[in-house]
Amino acid sequence: MLNKKNIILVAIGVLLLVVGFVCLASGPAENPISLTVAPLILTLAYVVVIPLGILFGGKKQDK
């Protein structure tokens, strides 16, 4: 079951994806932001933040 922390982490991941794709689309192909910053942001979002949001387990509550 997803809790508030999971939703926040996935939302941060989606926000990083949007920022990464905007950076990727900016300027000409030789732009340093398009070549270095955007791939780093996208990799961080896809490999670290979104999987953490999906796999992060909170405390289990006993009924």
Side-chain angles (χ1 to χ4, degrees), residues 1 7 9-10 13 22 25 29 32-33 38 40-42 47 54 60:
M1 177 96 186
I7 295 170
L9 281 172
V10 171
V22 168
I33 293 175
L40 290 174
I41 292 173
L42 291 171
V47 176
I54 294 171
K60 294 186 178 184

Side-chain angles (χ1 to χ4, degrees), residues 49-61:
V49 178
I50 292 176
L52 274 178
I54 294 171
L55 298 175
F56 181 72
K59 294 180 182 176
K60 294 186 178 184
Q61 297 176 355

Side-chain angles (χ1 to χ4, degrees), residues 13-53:
V14 170
L15 181 67
L16 282 173
L17 287 176
V18 170
V19 169
F21 280 115
V22 168
C23 288
L24 192 65
S26 69
E30 296 84 21
N31 189 0
I33 293 175
S34 293
L35 291 175
T36 57
V37 175
L40 290 174
I41 292 173
L42 291 171
T43 303
L44 178 74
Y46 278 122
V47 176
V48 177
V49 178
I50 292 176
L52 274 178

